[in-house]
Amino acid sequence: SAQLEERRTSVTRLQAATATLRDATRRRRGLTTTIGVFLLVRVIFWISGGRYRWWGVVFSWQVLDVKQLAAQPIQSIAALHIQPPAFNLFIALVVDISPFSNGITFQVLYFFFALVTVIGVWLLLDELGFSPVINTIGACIVAASPVLLSYENLPTYEVPVAMLLVLSAWLCVRYVKERTFRLFLAFVITTTLVVLTRALFHPLWLIVVLGALLWFARPAFEWRRCAAALAIPLVLVGGWMLKNEIRFGDPSMTSWLGMNLTRGVVAPMPKHDVEAMIRQGTLSKAAAVPPFSVYKSYEPYFGKCHSSSHNPLLALPEKDHTGLSNFNAQCFIPVYNDAMSNALAALRHRPQRYLSTRWAPTVAHFEDDYGPLQIGTNGIGTHGIWALDALQYVYKPMLVSPKMHIDESGWMFPLFPGYGFPFSFMLLFSTIFLTTRGAIGAWRAVRKRANAADAGWAFVGFTVLYLTIVSITTEFGENARFRTMADPLLLGLGAAALAAQVQLAVRALRSRRVSAST
């Protein structure tokens, strides 16, 4: 009897070891397949003529004058007020330090960012409890996304932020499982970098996610170490806001928020309504100027551009070597403050009008748009990159994207007159699914029934909901670009959940057939 029991124990252990080895093999194959698909898509993109267009950074409104950045990176960042510092600092370091050409350096870095994003999606799906096959399906859909591929080849902050969000979600799950200081510190750093890179993510978002994680899973290490980790965002984010308050009188991460609100709130309102509010004095006369105009358009209301600084990044209304508007000029700050006052006044006095204009940003937010590389050098058409076009032919029916036209006639400042937005129902459904699943995870946490996967779902759901609400309520124009930062989560997790349901349905059908034949 003892020998028989020992043999049974040995067989059980052998079966467990075999299952573990088989599972590890499946994971390794799935991850290898995902990386292979990622590389294959990039090789085809390069063969079809796709190249990294690093010079796009020169024309970016969010980036300071590149020559000035490279020559004086620290002084330039100290003069920055329109954006959080991380992306401009990243550009300055690349241009100043890299021994290779700008094009090669940016290409390698953004290739790495995109690869980490795709691998992060696979690992996140694995932590959420999906099978290796489902993980591979979700990650491969992200790897071949024409949107990710397009933004990957221009120096914008969409791909780096998308990478940080995916890593944050993965770290969230891992921390709840292990509760180590190392994982908590990594989560704090990644979420802090998100706020320091993209002004869209307000410090309140950071406070919520950090507070929720600590409430969800109390640390298994000393609170002194926890306080030391939390000091990182307090010093960096709080220090940046304090610097802006002392130097520019605006304690925020970005000074041009008012201009963004003007484009999102005032621009879609009926022209006769806005003009009436200007005549009544509800809005200033400068409200008649389209948002983000050259400074000369604002001179009649704010006077000539003057600055107390001799730094060209603050003193000149145009960038030195391009002639484009330098929206970081100090004379723009009164313009931004006035725009903020106008947007808030329009909200107070025309709340119904504001609510009636939210359909346009909703359609724009869920636009199936494959990014900035679709625009040719002449502003129309494509760059002739057939790989992008081929991927779009595959993704467009998959994302269910019929065109919807927004009637901008009568708007104060029409932005896309006659343009048809390819509205993606699948992106909408994925947003609803992730938000709902995140709410379920949060509810389970309240009921003390949550697991580590629920924490990950709650983080993803809250982040997607936050992005959607901020985009629809405050912006019109770059809504799809806002959503792009969550696309790896929307596409990867949404596709994985759908594939898992299909897999369950197929298994149930096979089970019924076996039962019937028996």
Side-chain angles (χ1 to χ4, degrees), residues 314-510:
L314 292 172
L316 301 179
E318 296 178 349
K319 294 183 179 180
D320 277 349
H321 65 289
T322 62
L324 299 174
S325 288
N326 171 27
F327 289 108
N328 194 71
Q330 197 168 359
C331 53
F332 270 107
I333 293 179
V335 178
Y336 299 150
N337 294 337
D338 182 73
M340 174 69 82
S341 299
N342 288 334
L344 295 179
L347 281 171
R348 287 195 306 270
H349 290 83
R350 298 291 191 275
Q352 298 87 351
R353 288 290 192 187
Y354 164 75
L355 293 175
S356 68
T357 61
R358 291 308 92 192
W359 174 243
T362 301
V363 171
H365 180 80
F366 294 104
E367 179 187 8
D368 174 21
D369 171 25
Y370 63 102
L373 287 188
Q374 70 172 323
I375 304 299
T377 53
N378 59 353
I380 59 175
T382 68
H383 281 293
I385 305 172
W386 56 262
L388 271 179
D389 294 333
L391 287 172
Q392 187 69 355
Y393 283 130
V394 174
Y395 275 70
K396 189 167 288 294
M398 182 177 69
L399 294 177
V400 191
S401 308
K403 281 194 175 182
M404 291 191 180
H405 292 268
I406 301 298
D407 184 12
E408 298 187 28
S409 59
W411 282 22
M412 182 62 186
F413 302 117
L415 192 58
F416 303 114
Y419 177 73
F421 292 88
F423 181 88
S424 172
F425 283 96
M426 289 306 298
L427 288 173
L428 172 63
F429 294 149
S430 184
T431 298
I432 295 173
F433 165 73
L434 294 185
T435 302
T436 304
R437 186 61 184 84
I440 293 173
W443 175 248
R444 288 178 178 173
V446 173
R447 300 291 299 273
K448 306 298 183 184
R449 298 176 181 175
N451 54 29
D454 288 322
W457 285 113
F459 173 83
V460 170
F462 172 70
T463 299
V464 169
L465 179 63
Y466 172 86
L467 263 175
T468 305
I469 291 175
V470 171
S471 171
I472 293 174
T473 57
T474 66
E475 171 69 13
F476 179 69
E478 293 191 344
N479 307 81
R481 187 178 177 185
F482 288 3
R483 192 212 66 243
T484 296
M485 294 179 287
D487 271 6
L489 299 172
L490 291 169
L491 294 175
L493 275 62
L498 181 60
Q501 292 302 313
V502 172
Q503 188 181 57
L504 288 175
V506 170
R507 288 177 179 175
L509 181 61
R510 287 177 179 174

Side-chain angles (χ1 to χ4, degrees), residues 14-15 29 70 123 262 303 353:
L14 180 61
Q15 289 175 340
R29 288 176 179 173
L123 295 175
T262 297
R353 288 290 192 187

Side-chain angles (χ1 to χ4, degrees), residues 97-209:
I97 295 176
S98 175
F100 306 103
S101 68
N102 292 331
I104 292 176
T105 306
F106 280 118
Q107 177 76 84
V108 171
L109 288 172
Y110 273 73
F111 177 88
F112 172 76
F113 294 156
L115 179 59
V116 172
T117 301
V118 171
I119 294 176
V121 169
W122 198 99
L123 295 175
L124 174 61
L125 290 170
D126 194 51
E127 292 293 340
L128 293 177
F130 292 98
S131 69
V133 173
I134 300 300
N135 300 345
T136 305
I137 292 173
C140 285
I141 286 177
V142 176
S145 166
V147 176
L148 178 67
L149 186 58
S150 179
Y151 279 100
E152 181 188 331
N153 286 277
L154 276 178
T156 65
Y157 35 43
E158 276 66 37
V159 172
V161 173
M163 176 191 69
L164 291 170
L165 291 177
V166 171
L167 290 179
S168 297
W170 178 76
L171 289 167
C172 177
V173 182
R174 294 296 302 174
Y175 165 74
V176 174
K177 281 186 176 181
E178 301 180 20
R179 305 197 184 192
T180 62
F181 175 72
R182 174 176 53 87
L183 289 170
F184 180 72
L185 178 63
F187 181 80
V188 171
I189 291 174
T190 53
T191 50
T192 301
L193 282 174
V194 170
V195 175
L196 289 173
T197 304
R198 194 67 166 94
L200 177 64
F201 287 91
H202 195 274
L204 287 176
W205 172 83
L206 181 61
I207 293 173
V208 171
V209 297

Side-chain angles (χ1 to χ4, degrees), residues 292-309:
F292 292 106
S293 295
V294 298
Y295 187 79
K296 286 185 178 180
S297 302
Y298 300 104
E299 280 186 359
Y301 313 103
F302 300 96
K304 294 284 186 180
C305 185
H306 295 291
S307 172
S308 57
S309 172

